[in-house]
């Protein structure tokens, strides 16, 4: 399970710094090598998050636990890295939850379109009992989930036209993540979606294999999609998170002290990562406009019409995922809205 046992009260040499001699490591901490891989690059808030994770783990372990970060899918895409964790060939990855849905259908709650209105609502669900229930499903698949990080609200870019209404999706060839709810939702809107691993997206856009893609602003900016996509439409059609995954094979070999260091670092770096993401998002639209993109807002009325177009998909997948879980999530969102 995810509970950290035997941590006792103190954390030994918890005040050790990165440069501390290895002898100062807290009790129960050995030399460890931790390979962390993500699909995004090091400027992206997720990249900054794993840099923070490295700093924290090395600090808390007195330099004994060494983290090596790999950006831009150099170790592979989300699915491949997740499999590498299951096989014990890689220690950590922080993928979108969406490609995990083929393995654990309940993660599909985060793929239902037009469910969250704000980041705060999403955080309340992710950091509450629904989020924990989903993390608890990972160990039987050889994975340990330590925290949710933020990817965020996804927006549409394309080379055809500004998208304001459901009709505007008509015929747009769209890359989606490898997730059937996304595929079905974009089909319902009249687009022509095709699933593709993240690392292939830029060249697919550049070579016009697809007309568009959808991702949070920070990704559109850090991956320079503005160079190959003239239109950005602020559809905010779905909020998808990242989940911080550790190989269970690796985790089970760690001492309780080492597990505590990993867990604390993943949670602390996650808080930092959400802040970086928030700041990045706040200025991304201006930056992308300055880089030449034509940006359009989508009115509440048109967002509502888009939601109506995908409602059959929401209904279908709410049943498949399990209506109890979906209802529990909706109740959590309502609670967060009243705050
Ligand atoms: O590092 C995460 C990326 O690999 C990926 O999850 C980004 O949202 C993403 C996408 O569109 O594939």
């Amino acid at each position: 399970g995810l509970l950290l046992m035997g941590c006792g009260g103190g954390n030994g040499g918890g005040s050790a710094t990165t440069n501390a001699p290895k002898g100062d490591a807290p009790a129960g901490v050995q030399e460890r090598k931790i390979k962390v891989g993500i699909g995004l690059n090091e400027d992206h808030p997720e990249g900054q998050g794993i840099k923070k994770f490295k700093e924290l783990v090395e600090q808390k372990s007195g330099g004994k636990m060494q983290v090596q970060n790999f950006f831009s899918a150099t170790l592979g895409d989300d699915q491949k890295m997740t499999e590498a964790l299951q096989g014990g060939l890689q220690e950590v990855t922080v993928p979108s939850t969406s490609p995990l849905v083929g393995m654990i259908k309940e993660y599909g709650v985060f793929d239902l379109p037009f469910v969250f209105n704000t980041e705060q609502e999403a955080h309340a669900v992710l950091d509450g009992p629904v989020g924990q229930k989903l993390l608890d499903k990972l160990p039987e698949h050889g994975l340990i989930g330590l925290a949710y990080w933020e990817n965020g609200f996804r927006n549409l870019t394309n080379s055809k036209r500004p998208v304001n209404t459901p009709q505007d999706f008509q015929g747009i060839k769209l890359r989606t993540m490898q997730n059937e709810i996304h595929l079905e939702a974009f089909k319902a809107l009249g687009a022509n979606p095709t699933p593709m691993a993240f690392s292939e997206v830029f060249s697919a856009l550049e070579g016009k294999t697809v007309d568009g893609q959808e991702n949070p602003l920070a990704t559109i900016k850090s991956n320079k999609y503005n160079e190959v996509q003239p239109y950005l439409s602020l559809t905010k059609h779905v909020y998808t998170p990242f989940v911080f995954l550790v190989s269970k094979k690796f985790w089970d070999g760690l001492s309780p002290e080492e597990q505590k260091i990993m867990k604390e670092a993943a949670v602390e770096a996650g808080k930092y990562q959400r802040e970086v993401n928030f700041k990045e998002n706040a200025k991304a639209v201006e930056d992308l406009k300055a880089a030449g993109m034509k940006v359009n807002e989508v009115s509440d009325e048109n967002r509502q019409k888009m939601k109506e177009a995908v409602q059959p998909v929401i209904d279908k997948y709410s049943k498949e995922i399990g209506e109890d879980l979906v209802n529990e999530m909706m109740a959590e969102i309502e609670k967060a809205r009243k705050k």
Side-chain angles (χ1 to χ4, degrees):
L2 291 161
L3 280 179
L4 300 162
M5 287 160 301
C7 298
N11 63 347
S15 61
T17 66
T18 315
N19 299 323
K22 292 194 174 173
D24 284 7
V29 176
Q30 292 180 37
E31 292 207 9
R32 303 280 183 189
K33 293 231 181 300
I34 302 162
K35 283 201 282 328
V36 180
I38 59 169
L40 289 154
N41 62 39
E42 61 177 302
D43 298 332
H44 188 279
E46 188 186 37
Q48 298 187 47
I50 67 168
K51 286 196 245 180
K52 176 61 84 182
F53 174 76
K54 172 182 166 72
E55 194 184 300
L56 290 169
V57 167
E58 295 185 354
Q59 191 182 79
K60 287 172 194 283
S61 69
K64 281 222 164 181
M65 297 168 77
Q66 291 280 327
V67 178
Q68 201 182 358
N69 284 332
F70 295 87
F71 305 91
S72 307
T74 45
L75 295 183
D77 277 294
D78 289 355
Q79 276 179 349
K80 183 172 174 220
M81 289 193 283
T82 303
E83 282 162 24
L85 262 58
Q86 290 171 313
L89 305 167
Q90 181 181 329
E91 288 70 39
V92 173
T93 187
V94 194
S96 292
T97 51
S98 310
L100 301 180
V101 168
M103 177 168 74
I104 304 172
K105 68 176 191 316
E106 287 84 356
Y107 274 99
V109 291
F110 304 122
D111 299 303
L112 298 173
F114 302 106
V115 159
F116 295 106
N117 289 333
T118 65
E119 282 85 359
Q120 288 67 31
E121 293 170 12
H123 298 168
V125 169
L126 291 164
D127 301 339
V130 171
Q132 186 57 49
K133 250 186 214 173
L134 290 165
L135 294 182
D136 292 344
K137 296 198 178 292
L138 292 161
E140 64 187 276
H141 297 276
L143 302 164
I144 300 292
L146 295 185
Y148 293 100
W149 288 15
E150 185 151 86
N151 198 359
F153 285 103
R154 305 180 78 89
N155 296 293
L156 187 83
T157 68
N158 84 99
S159 57
K160 293 283 183 201
R161 63 188 87 99
V163 170
N164 283 295
T165 67
Q167 289 72 33
D168 296 330
F169 282 92
Q170 199 59 48
I172 294 179
K173 269 207 220 157
L174 196 63
R175 174 271 175 174
T176 69
M177 289 193 279
Q178 289 143 310
N179 177 287
E180 53 175 310
I181 307 176
H182 291 223
L183 280 169
E184 293 288 323
F186 286 112
K187 276 188 202 152
L189 284 162
N192 181 2
T194 174
M196 192 185 287
F198 181 70
S199 60
E200 294 165 28
V201 178
F202 187 92
S203 50
L205 295 169
E206 190 175 38
K208 299 258 162 59
T209 319
V210 292
D211 305 316
Q213 66 81 46
E214 43 83 57
N215 251 300
L217 295 171
T219 302
I220 294 167
K221 186 180 150 189
S222 75
N223 272 73
K224 300 191 165 60
Y225 292 160
N226 53 284
E227 291 178 1
V228 286
Q229 296 275 271
Y231 302 109
L232 165 60
S233 304
L234 303 174
T235 47
K236 276 184 74 173
H237 51 275
V238 70
Y239 176 103
T240 60
F242 291 132
V243 59
F244 191 101
L245 298 180
V246 184
S247 161
K248 186 168 185 297
K249 283 194 174 160
F250 172 70
W251 181 260
D252 289 345
L254 296 179
S255 69
E257 291 83 359
E258 291 165 335
Q259 290 182 348
K260 182 168 186 268
I261 288 171
M262 294 280 289
K263 168 85 184 173
E264 284 179 357
V267 171
E268 280 175 46
K271 286 191 185 131
Y272 168 81
Q273 189 269 340
R274 282 181 182 170
E275 279 166 29
V276 174
N277 205 42
F278 182 79
K279 284 187 199 136
E280 189 50 43
N281 276 337
K283 62 185 181 70
V285 169
E286 286 319 307
D287 294 346
L288 290 166
K289 274 186 191 161
M293 284 191 110
K294 294 187 193 68
V295 183
N296 70 283
E297 300 274 349
V298 175
S299 68
D300 287 344
E301 199 192 329
N302 281 329
R303 251 186 122 233
Q304 189 54 37
K305 285 187 188 148
M306 290 176 191
K307 185 172 182 187
E308 279 158 25
V310 298
Q311 194 59 48
V313 179
I314 298 178
D315 295 343
K316 175 182 166 191
Y317 283 99
S318 296
K319 285 207 189 73
E320 278 191 21
I321 292 164
E323 273 169 338
D324 288 350
L325 184 66
V326 175
N327 291 338
E328 193 182 342
M329 176 174 78
M330 295 304 179
E332 290 285 319
I333 296 173
E334 279 310 313
K335 245 202 311 189
R337 271 178 198 160
K338 287 198 188 105
K339 269 189 194 155

